[in-house]
Amino acid sequence: MPGTTEHGGGRLAGRVALVTGAGGPNGIGFACARVLGREGASVAIASTTARIQERAAELRAAGIPAAAAVGDLVDSAQAAGVVAAALQAFGRIDVLVNNAGMVSVGENEIHKELPDLSDHEWRHGLDITLTTAFNVTRAVLPSMVAQGYGRIVNVASVTGPVVSNPRSSFYSAAKAGMVGMTRSIALDVGRKGVTVNAVLPGWILTGSSTEAENVGGRHTPIGRSGTPMEVAEVVAFLASEAASYVTGEAIVIDGGNCIQEYKGPSEGYY
């Protein structure tokens, strides 16, 4: 992580953030942790493997107070343990970014038409994206409500709530479910000092991006895939006091891809 960060200033000075799914060095979760830390937050990060300790060390090297926890967030007890570890490290949680989902380290993505999915594949696909967010949010919300302040940002996707792809039924269902959950919780806690929003990334260039996904990015109106940092900047706004009147929203970050009718090679129209 190049450079250093002078911690203490910024929009989130004095705040504490918990970011899940932050184990990958080039993913959205770690980008969120970096930007939230840059803005002054102390950051607790979590993933399913011990590599999360490497990310925490990178944050601390940049001058960001950081703590790390390992947990399978599909398991509600482990999710509660991750939240408890963050509270023990920093005393409070002001910001929650639910980024965990899609696949865990060592797993292969499953792309099948719905009739070919097993019961286990369907349930696991929903669990790793939607149940993880449910478990962590349920564990965090009581302390946010008690302190009268909180910002929850769910990292969903355009896939499901807005568009979809072939052989993506459980992923689409889980991400659409995340947006529905976002809106419902926003109504529950809106008068308790807590806002709840979702970001919906499109084609984002991460360490796990395929060439097909990169081609999709090149065919957006902007002409490229987005970056994790571009997603993180929107997350940081929603996590700040500047977004105090924004709740229950699903903000698309896709370079305009969803608004265009023509999605072929740029020479056809652009």
Side-chain angles (χ1 to χ4, degrees), residues 19-24 45-53 69-73 82:
V19 183
T20 68
I45 53 177
S47 76
T48 57
T49 68
R51 68 176 180 165
I52 197 67
Q53 300 295 343
V70 176
D72 179 0
L73 303 181
V82 165

Side-chain angles (χ1 to χ4, degrees), residues 32-181:
C32 289
R34 292 170 62 189
V35 173
L36 296 174
R38 183 199 71 198
E39 292 297 322
S42 300
V43 184
I45 53 177
S47 76
T48 57
T49 68
R51 68 176 180 165
I52 197 67
Q53 300 295 343
E54 299 172 13
R55 304 289 83 74
E58 292 177 53
L59 293 173
R60 288 190 289 266
I64 299 168
V70 176
D72 179 0
L73 303 181
V74 172
D75 182 326
S76 60
Q78 292 189 51
V82 165
V83 172
L87 290 170
Q88 182 176 18
F90 296 116
R92 60 188 290 134
I93 298 172
D94 302 293
V95 177
L96 168 62
V97 180
N98 281 311
N99 178 67
M102 198 164 185
V103 293
S104 298
V105 174
E107 293 184 344
N108 294 319
E109 291 186 38
I110 297 171
H111 298 285
K112 295 181 180 179
E113 294 186 5
L114 190 139
D116 298 323
L117 288 170
S118 68
D119 289 352
H120 170 75
E121 289 168 337
W122 172 259
R123 291 175 183 139
H124 182 64
L126 294 180
D127 278 345
I128 60 175
T129 293
L130 185 56
T131 302
T132 52
F134 163 75
N135 282 338
V136 179
T137 303
R138 182 174 61 175
V140 166
L141 264 179
S143 66
M144 286 186 170
V145 170
Q147 68 197 20
Y149 183 90
R151 298 284 186 266
I152 298 174
V153 184
N154 295 319
V155 181
S157 174
V158 294
T159 306
V162 183
V163 295
S164 193
N165 288 306
R167 300 173 296 281
S168 297
S169 56
F170 66 71
Y171 183 76
S172 297
K175 290 300 190 180
M178 183 177 279
V179 172
M181 185 174 72

Side-chain angles (χ1 to χ4, degrees), residues 173 182 220 259:
T182 296
T220 65
I259 65 169

Side-chain angles (χ1 to χ4, degrees), residues 112-270:
K112 295 181 180 179
E113 294 186 5
L114 190 139
D116 298 323
L117 288 170
S118 68
D119 289 352
H120 170 75
E121 289 168 337
W122 172 259
R123 291 175 183 139
H124 182 64
L126 294 180
D127 278 345
I128 60 175
T129 293
L130 185 56
T131 302
T132 52
F134 163 75
N135 282 338
V136 179
T137 303
R138 182 174 61 175
V140 166
L141 264 179
S143 66
M144 286 186 170
V145 170
Q147 68 197 20
Y149 183 90
R151 298 284 186 266
I152 298 174
V153 184
N154 295 319
V155 181
S157 174
V158 294
T159 306
V162 183
V163 295
S164 193
N165 288 306
R167 300 173 296 281
S168 297
S169 56
F170 66 71
Y171 183 76
S172 297
K175 290 300 190 180
M178 183 177 279
V179 172
M181 185 174 72
T182 296
R183 291 172 175 150
S184 180
I185 300 171
L187 296 176
D188 290 341
V189 298
R191 298 191 180 189
K192 299 175 182 178
V194 181
T195 65
V196 190
N197 291 286
V199 294
L200 281 58
W203 300 120
I204 305 298
L205 185 62
T206 69
S208 61
S209 295
T210 65
E211 179 54 26
E213 291 168 338
N214 296 338
V215 169
R218 291 195 291 271
H219 289 169
T220 65
I222 288 181
R224 61 171 176 83
S225 295
T227 68
M229 292 296 281
E230 288 173 316
V231 177
E233 294 289 354
V234 179
V235 170
F237 165 70
L238 294 172
S240 73
E241 294 187 28
S244 57
Y245 205 58
V246 181
T247 196
E249 292 301 317
I251 299 177
V252 173
I253 310 168
D254 77 337
N257 196 45
C258 288
I259 65 169
Q260 64 177 355
E261 181 175 356
Y262 176 78
K263 291 184 169 66
S266 60
E267 53 268 24
Y269 266 89
Y270 297 103

